[in-house]
Amino acid sequence: MEAEIKENLKYTKDHEWVEVVGDIVTIGITDYAQSSIGDLVYVELPEVGGSFDQGADLVIVESCKAASDVYAPISGEVVEVNNAVVESPGTVNTAPYADGWLVKVKAADVSQIDTLMNAAEYKEHAAE
Amino acid sequence: MRYLPHTDSDRQEMLAKIGVNCVDDLYDNVPAECWPKGLPDLPTTKSELDVERIFVNYAKLNHAANDGPFFLGAGVYYHHIPATVDYIIQRSEFLTSYTPYQPEVSQGTLQYVFEFQSMVAALTGMEIANASMYDGSTSVTEAALMAKRITKREDVKIFGELHPQYRETLETYFSVIGGNIASNDPDESTACVIVQSPDFHGEIHDLTELRKKCDESGALLIVVVAEIVSLGLLPAPEVADIVVGECQSVGIPMMYGGPYAGFFACSKKHVRQMPGRICGETVDVEGRRSFVLTMNTREQHIRREKATSNICTNQGLCALAFTVHLSLLGEEGLKHLAKLNHQKACKLADALATIEGVTIQNKTFFNEFVAELPIESNDLVEKLAANGIIAGYALGGNRLLISATEMTTDSDVESLINAIKVEVK
Amino acid sequence: MQEIEERLLCEISRKGRRAIDLEPIDSNHNRLGVDERQSIGLPELSEPQVLRHFVRLSQQNYSIDANFYPLGSCTMKHNPRQNEKFSRFSGFLNLHPLQPVSTAQGALSLMYELKRWLSELTGLPGVSLNPAAGAHGELAGMMVIHKAHEMRGRQRKVVLVPDSAHGTNPATAAMCGYTIKTIPSTKQGLVDMDLFKASLNDDTAAFMLTNPSTCGIFDPKVKEIADLLHENGAYFYCDGANFNAIAGKIRPADFGVDVMHINLHKTFSTPHGGGGPGSGPIVVTAELDPYLPVPNVVKTGGAYQLVNEDEKSIGRLKSFQGHFGMFTRALSYMLGHGADGIRRASEDAVLSANYIRASLNDLYHEPFPGNCMHECLLNDRHQRDAGITTMDIAKTLIEHGFHPMTVFFPLVVKNAMLIEPTESEPKETLDDFIGAMRQIAEDVKLGDVEKLKKNPISTPRRRVDEVKAVRDLKVTW
């Protein structure tokens, strides 16, 4: 089954999606990412208030056989984390773009969003 | 060559299938300059009988514990091993199988590892245990590293007499990994307090006070048990955060230092920071209870440089030997064995105290204690060894660390006492 | 394999049963300073019950004694029973590691002889027998390198590791405080020389390379790599996991190795024991010899001594003298084979791997075509479109009576299958295995996908739920 890619989101080459509302950025992993990692059994989220540079390790997601770092797609400060996925990591598999979101970050520089891919670009990237 | 099945015609057929003329053609990637000039200076094939003769001679040059009275402990103990233990660990299916990566055909190994973990947890009073570490010294070291990861602090405090070789191992690791080792009270930069009980000198420590100090400073409490038989008589160190130590005393021969198995137990909340293999219960597609290696993402084969440790395997057969022996002992058997050890040691202490000038240094002990002699302990150990008695471990000066187990007979004690009397005169 | 159910020890326990009779307690001293423990929580069984329990468990296992075990990189060769017999002589079994050395001369001379064999076979003069396993040997070796840089007056920061390396390599280098720089492999599965050269500078502490590699290839540029490292003041750490392809033929010293660990449980046949114990001695150049861990066995006059303290040494890496029980087995293997037998074993291992490769590479994809060393690397590229992956092939092999090869390693090849037959297997066994692999490929072509997905069926257990094992973690009864 082909992985779902949402039109209105931005993407990184490491298979994260980003939704921008004002200067608040919601971050998750894509459908492609969750299906290649497999059933998630563990999610480690950062603490609210922590600051991250673009490209820094932000979240760890793990299946039985793989551990992946989720990198900060842009620099900023963590304002909210989705504790529900810590309790039931499987939510990231079943709803990667909805209830399976991971972190909300207040962007230090919203223009960094322009370095990310749009849906069409990501679709090409994921097909490689 | 008895171990190599290919005949010359097999080899020719195989070379033909591959499409090369000779075996060295398969080594054509090896640069010409890397081929050795001559053959190694080593002997050629020997028959089993010839090899046996060589090994008989090596063994003959050693004085084994069963060759005379034996009172040496110091972290490795001379205990009886039931015949069933060695029979089981020599079964092909245990001896010659690999790490149980394919659970469908490895339930035998996986189930006994689960049983090993369960019994270690019961003995130590901890919630969980792993599938074992290399030995006592490395399990202490890994516990300290784990405490550093959990507390994000650097320093380690050692309380009482930690086995000197455990301490040296810890120091070697810390010399590259970083962190200070000291013996004063814990403070806000202390990751953990390590206490061995019974300690290297045999003294048994009250953990309540240490627990309080750890709680006040936010450090973890690591309890080390080098003589695991003691847990049949001493209260479980359940106030600890991590309990580690040596399995050797149950089912594993002394074998001049190894292989043994280290045990590693802790509270469940720390499982993600635990090093080593862990076996867990699950079900197969038909819903039958099954066991499988789990929590693998902590480990080096997945996590690589971010792994909790570089350790790969557990001590397999040694953990099996421990599990079989402990199953044979059971609840009452272990208690009885522990009590027997303690009684033998008490009698030994009483007998030694009858010698003029000898005093027992310990306030408390299990099966090992320090005797202060009127002569240098090192001299005594060497002299008695020449007469076929292994008297104990010379701590330096006049102090002798001495141990008794269920193997110790009244006549062994008598021989020792008489021999010491001759030397101290 | 027959279906066997065996309950847990705690489920067959009954209060009051005994399996060991001990001497009665005839006194009641208490010098513990505390009250005696009341309850532990251990099971209670009779002697025959314990025996049956573990025999029945054993029957659920696969073993090299009973069957072909082609795990790549793991080296499941025959474990001669003479090794087991000799290592159990009382003079070894009942020998305490802290006895006066005057009472352990046989053990020490045995260790000295083992060191001589390892040194002769590798061409490297310094040997430490202490490390408990391969990964522990890596740690010892990298600490030696760390110490050498320190003694030269400037610590370096980076260790280079190819992407095909065992996970222990980067994990070990990280434990020594080094930053890891990964060197991607070329399309031929070799070290990318351009990327290697570009990464090499005066901050490089060492390069950790497995040679022959985890792809089963002897790197033709290995000497050039060693020379470049040495010109830059860096060391060549060789992961010796695959020494069994070249032992007795090629000496690592001759291709520029500074430090190498040797897995006695791979090359020298000490049993794997369902996961251990291993033994991982290291060999080093004369320059690095002073830094080896203590203790070290030396010969002075006619007697053997243990050196426990040495100022230059990195120190102690574990208690006592290493896994002595593995030294006896490895030396028994070496003496039995002799230098000629060890060389022949290496050649036969390489011959058998290539025979399997040549017999399967029409049906299975060979990512790096050409001669291999002691293991051949294939993958599922020809089967993937039909919906069959390496995992399904591995599980179906079990149904054909064979233990699977190593799967999904090395990571540089998608869905790798790494097959290592070793020198122990006769051609008939290799042909049976090849037949099974060809049958599986034919079944995939015929579209029998659903059947393959269900395998294995007739094993003690079928595919297990690994997700449940983590989510509902239960590690004790």
Side-chain angles (χ1 to χ4, degrees):
Chain A
M1 201 177 69
E2 200 168 310
E4 185 187 2
I5 297 174
K6 295 245 186 200
E7 280 304 323
N8 54 340
L9 302 176
K10 291 282 197 173
Y11 296 89
T12 71
K13 64 176 171 45
D14 302 307
H15 307 284
E16 293 133 15
W17 59 262
V18 168
E19 184 183 44
V20 190
V21 179
D23 61 352
I24 301 297
V25 176
T26 307
I27 299 161
I29 64 169
T30 65
D31 190 31
Y32 175 89
Q34 71 77 18
S35 90
S36 54
I37 297 169
D39 287 338
L40 292 197
V41 292
Y42 178 71
V43 178
E44 189 176 301
L45 297 171
E47 283 179 22
V48 172
S51 290
F52 292 84
D53 289 334
Q54 187 174 31
D57 296 355
L58 188 65
V59 177
I60 300 169
V61 292
E62 293 183 5
S63 67
C64 289
K65 300 283 185 197
S68 296
D69 292 313
V70 176
Y71 305 107
I74 62 167
S75 306
E77 184 189 326
V78 176
V79 291
E80 193 181 343
V81 296
N82 185 4
N83 283 313
V85 297
V86 174
E87 287 304 311
S88 45
T91 312
V92 180
N93 294 109
T94 52
Y97 296 112
D99 291 348
W101 67 275
L102 300 171
V103 178
K104 290 188 185 184
V105 170
K106 183 176 162 64
D109 175 8
V110 183
S111 72
Q112 281 181 337
I113 295 295
D114 300 337
T115 62
L116 307 181
M117 289 179 269
N118 63 28
E121 288 163 339
Y122 178 65
K123 191 169 184 179
E124 204 168 299
H125 172 71
E128 272 171 21
Chain B
M1 218 286 111
R2 60 191 178 279
Y3 299 120
L4 303 176
H6 294 335
T7 63
D8 285 340
S9 68
D10 286 339
R11 291 188 179 104
Q12 285 311 318
E13 275 176 52
M14 292 163 77
L15 288 168
K17 174 75 191 175
I18 299 162
V20 294
N21 291 320
C22 65
V23 169
D24 277 351
D25 287 353
L26 299 171
Y27 287 85
D28 58 359
N29 267 10
V30 180
E33 59 183 319
C34 298
W35 286 90
K37 307 290 171 277
L39 291 174
D41 178 23
L42 293 166
T44 53
T45 308
K46 282 187 173 57
S47 70
E48 178 168 332
L49 177 57
D50 282 341
V51 181
E52 180 161 339
R53 286 188 176 120
I54 293 170
F55 274 80
V56 165
N57 281 326
Y58 281 129
K60 222 190 282 178
L61 291 171
N62 299 324
H63 177 95
N66 53 334
D67 291 338
F70 188 88
F71 299 90
L72 179 55
V76 179
Y77 299 89
Y78 180 40
H79 288 289
H80 183 248
I81 301 174
T84 303
V85 174
D86 202 40
Y87 169 74
I88 292 292
I89 68 166
Q90 284 203 68
R91 278 191 69 93
S92 296
E93 303 90 334
F94 287 132
L95 186 75
T96 73
S97 56
Y98 194 69
T99 305
Y101 287 135
Q102 301 290 340
E104 298 90 340
V105 288
S106 320
Q107 285 299 305
T109 298
L110 288 161
Q111 184 168 330
Y112 88 66
V113 170
F114 184 83
E115 292 173 334
F116 170 84
Q117 293 172 176
S118 302
M119 293 205 279
V120 168
L123 275 173
T124 55
M126 292 286 102
E127 287 172 328
I128 59 168
N130 76 7
S132 73
M133 311 297 288
Y134 301 138
D135 66 359
S137 67
T138 50
S139 60
V140 172
T141 304
E142 290 279 5
L145 297 178
M146 176 170 154
K148 285 178 63 169
R149 288 193 295 274
I150 292 169
T151 59
K152 299 189 169 65
R153 296 175 178 184
E154 285 296 300
D155 299 348
V156 168
K157 307 288 183 186
I158 295 172
F159 185 86
E161 296 290 337
L162 179 63
H163 194 295
Q165 298 203 357
Y166 291 11
R167 184 174 178 135
E168 287 170 29
T169 303
L170 186 66
E171 285 167 351
T172 305
Y173 276 69
F174 270 45
S175 72
V176 293
I177 293 169
N180 303 307
I181 303 167
S183 291
N184 51 338
D185 276 346
D187 55 38
E188 65 287 345
S189 62
T190 307
C192 60
V193 173
I194 299 176
V195 59
Q196 181 177 330
S197 184
D199 74 9
F200 185 62
H201 291 176
E203 207 68 57
I204 294 158
H205 290 279
D206 176 18
L207 303 175
T208 327
E209 199 56 31
L210 278 176
R211 177 75 262 175
K212 209 185 289 170
K213 282 183 181 168
C214 285
D215 288 341
E216 282 162 12
S217 62
L220 301 188
L221 178 60
I222 298 174
V223 174
V224 181
V225 183
E227 168 50 295
I228 199 165
V229 171
S230 69
L231 290 177
L233 201 54
L234 295 173
E238 56 202 5
V239 296
D241 296 290
I242 307 172
V243 184
V244 291
E246 178 58 66
C247 291
Q248 180 270 329
S249 277
V250 176
I252 305 171
M254 299 191 291
M255 198 62 96
Y256 205 50
Y260 304 151
F263 67 87
F264 198 113
C266 65
S267 43
K268 197 171 179 179
K269 67 180 179 207
H270 295 317
V271 64
R272 298 198 62 83
Q273 292 301 336
M274 198 181 209
R277 292 268 144 90
I278 300 173
C279 172
E281 186 182 312
T282 185
V283 293
D284 76 351
V285 293
E286 292 179 15
R288 294 174 294 187
R289 178 168 66 191
S290 309
F291 301 96
V292 66
L293 292 178
T294 192
M295 303 296 289
N296 301 312
T297 47
R298 301 163 298 115
E299 296 181 59
Q300 47 74 29
H301 61 285
I302 291 174
R303 214 78 175 103
R304 299 178 81 84
E305 66 264 30
K306 289 177 182 167
T308 52
S309 165
N310 76 337
I311 196 167
C312 293
T313 59
N314 67 337
Q315 289 289 98
L317 284 181
C318 299
L320 174 61
F322 175 90
T323 309
V324 177
H325 193 180
L326 198 55
S327 307
L328 288 164
L329 284 166
E331 175 91 8
E332 292 308 318
L334 182 67
K335 284 187 198 164
H336 187 137
L337 179 66
K339 204 161 186 173
L340 190 56
N341 271 254
H342 186 52
Q343 300 308 321
K344 296 265 187 191
C346 290
K347 285 184 189 173
L348 175 63
D350 289 346
L352 282 166
T354 64
I355 305 172
E356 202 179 317
V358 175
T359 53
I360 307 304
Q361 299 290 294
N362 290 54
K363 284 203 225 39
T364 58
F365 62 85
F366 169 62
N367 68 356
E368 187 168 32
F369 53 84
V370 178
E372 178 85 17
L373 310 170
I375 54 170
E376 282 224 357
S377 58
N378 205 30
D379 285 351
L380 180 85
V381 167
E382 292 291 341
K383 280 181 182 157
L384 265 58
N387 292 321
I389 298 173
I390 305 295
Y393 181 82
L395 285 171
N398 291 359
R399 293 173 309 154
L400 180 71
L401 182 64
I402 184 165
S403 147
T405 69
E406 75 281 5
M407 305 300 272
T408 312
T409 65
D410 291 347
S411 94
D412 290 339
V413 176
E414 202 182 313
S415 304
L416 176 74
I417 301 298
N418 291 337
I420 296 178
K421 278 181 178 164
V422 171
E423 297 303 326
V424 299
K425 256 179 197 161
Chain C
M1 259 181 209
Q2 66 193 61
E3 191 173 311
I4 308 155
E5 292 300 317
E6 180 59 21
R7 286 179 290 169
L8 289 165
L9 288 165
C10 60
E11 294 163 347
I12 50 177
S13 163
R14 186 163 295 180
K15 186 116 199 90
R17 284 196 181 127
R18 300 294 291 264
I20 290 182
D21 293 307
L22 290 161
E23 184 183 327
I25 310 281
D26 59 3
S27 57
N28 211 10
H29 297 284
N30 182 341
R31 299 197 196 167
L32 303 169
V34 289
D35 288 338
E36 290 174 17
R37 185 172 184 170
Q38 290 307 305
S39 149
I40 304 170
L42 296 176
E44 294 185 73
L45 303 107
S46 67
E47 215 269 3
Q49 275 185 302
V50 173
L51 185 82
R52 182 168 293 167
H53 175 75
F54 288 101
V55 168
R56 286 170 64 88
L57 285 187
S58 78
Q59 289 173 326
Q60 301 182 30
N61 270 5
Y62 193 98
S63 70
I64 182 68
D65 276 351
N67 272 304
F68 185 42
Y69 217 133
L71 277 174
S73 173
C74 304
T75 314
M76 297 301 284
K77 65 168 67 177
H78 171 61
N79 304 150
R81 279 312 191 280
Q82 67 170 40
N83 305 356
E84 294 303 310
K85 179 181 175 186
F86 305 158
S87 66
R88 283 172 167 80
F89 288 166
S90 174
F92 304 132
L93 202 73
N94 293 312
L95 194 63
H96 191 292
L98 299 175
Q99 280 184 217
V101 290
S102 58
T103 64
Q105 287 294 302
L108 292 169
S109 64
L110 186 155
M111 289 165 68
Y112 197 80
E113 179 66 2
L114 178 62
K115 281 175 59 172
R116 186 173 82 88
W117 276 80
L118 294 174
S119 176
E120 229 5 92
L121 290 170
T122 58
L124 289 160
V127 185
S128 172
L129 299 177
N130 297 322
H136 204 223
E138 284 179 37
L139 184 64
M142 289 309 292
M143 280 188 181
V144 164
I145 288 171
H146 190 270
K147 182 85 176 186
H149 284 301
E150 194 181 295
M151 297 299 276
R152 281 184 185 173
R154 191 176 71 88
Q155 191 48 264
R156 297 182 170 207
K157 295 195 182 74
V158 182
V159 168
L160 309 179
V161 180
D163 55 1
S164 58
H166 296 106
T168 48
N169 294 171
T172 302
M175 279 178 92
C176 293
Y178 290 117
T179 305
I180 316 304
K181 167 102 175 125
T182 305
I183 308 292
S185 302
T186 64
K187 290 204 165 75
Q188 291 74 41
L190 304 171
V191 174
D192 187 318
M193 290 303 285
D194 291 337
L195 292 174
F196 169 68
K197 285 178 196 164
S199 306
L200 183 63
N201 56 43
D202 64 3
D203 241 353
T204 309
F207 185 36
M208 296 182 85
L209 179 68
T210 309
N211 189 52
S213 75
T214 58
C215 301
I217 305 169
F218 191 100
D219 200 307
K221 294 277 173 60
V222 67
K223 186 66 170 62
E224 191 185 332
I225 289 169
D227 291 343
L228 284 166
L229 286 165
H230 295 151
E231 279 165 28
N232 274 274
Y235 293 98
F236 179 4
Y237 184 96
C238 184
D239 182 324
N242 295 336
F243 186 49
N244 59 311
I246 57 170
K249 279 186 83 72
I250 313 287
R251 303 187 312 169
D254 294 333
F255 56 83
V257 170
D258 295 300
V259 189
M260 185 174 92
H261 75 263
I262 297 164
N263 307 84
L264 296 185
H265 48 283
K266 293 182 180 177
T267 305
F268 299 111
S269 85
T270 71
H272 281 80
S279 182
I282 59 170
V283 286
V284 301
T285 57
E287 182 211 341
L288 297 175
D289 181 67
Y291 311 131
L292 286 174
V294 289
N296 186 21
V297 52
V298 295
K299 193 176 182 183
T300 44
Y304 298 90
Q305 301 291 336
L306 272 177
V307 177
N308 276 298
E309 276 175 46
D310 186 334
E311 214 173 285
K312 284 188 174 165
S313 162
I314 57 165
R316 180 181 291 281
L317 270 176
K318 73 184 288 298
S319 49
F320 317 119
Q321 289 85 250
H323 285 174
F324 181 82
M326 300 295 119
F327 305 158
T328 49
R329 289 169 173 86
L331 187 63
S332 161
Y333 174 94
M334 290 171 177
L335 291 172
H337 279 72
D340 51 336
I342 290 172
R343 184 170 65 248
R344 219 347 140 25
S346 298
E347 291 174 350
D348 280 357
V350 169
L351 179 66
S352 294
N354 277 286
Y355 178 65
I356 289 178
R357 183 182 60 77
S359 305
L360 291 177
N361 63 3
D362 56 333
L363 292 176
Y364 291 93
H365 179 62
E366 193 184 358
F368 310 125
N371 295 335
C372 62
M373 288 272 96
H374 62 301
E375 54 195 2
C376 76
L377 181 59
L378 304 172
N379 79 358
D380 62 2
R381 187 195 271 187
H382 301 331
Q383 287 73 35
R384 231 178 278 155
D385 284 347
I388 290 298
T389 67
T390 286
M391 183 59 83
D392 302 313
I393 296 165
K395 299 296 185 192
T396 302
L397 262 181
I398 299 177
E399 204 51 37
H400 282 269
F402 291 106
H403 195 279
M405 65 294 274
T406 291
V407 293
F408 304 107
F409 182 84
L411 306 174
V412 288
V413 169
K414 186 170 180 184
N415 296 357
M417 294 187 270
L418 191 62
I419 305 168
E420 179 175 7
T422 82
E423 70 278 13
S424 309
E425 300 299 334
K427 183 168 172 297
E428 300 90 303
T429 305
L430 303 182
D431 286 334
D432 289 347
F433 175 77
I434 289 163
M437 284 292 286
R438 296 192 70 85
Q439 178 70 52
I440 294 168
E442 294 301 336
D443 286 348
V444 175
K445 276 188 190 163
L446 292 171
D448 216 350
V449 172
E450 283 315 305
K451 198 177 105 192
L452 264 63
K453 287 264 173 212
K454 289 198 183 102
N455 286 330
I457 296 166
S458 52
T459 43
R461 285 293 180 279
R462 295 185 54 198
R463 294 191 198 191
V464 304
D465 187 346
E466 299 192 33
V467 174
K468 178 181 164 60
V470 184
R471 285 188 183 161
D472 308 333
L473 187 69
K474 185 174 191 310
V475 302
T476 58
W477 60 45

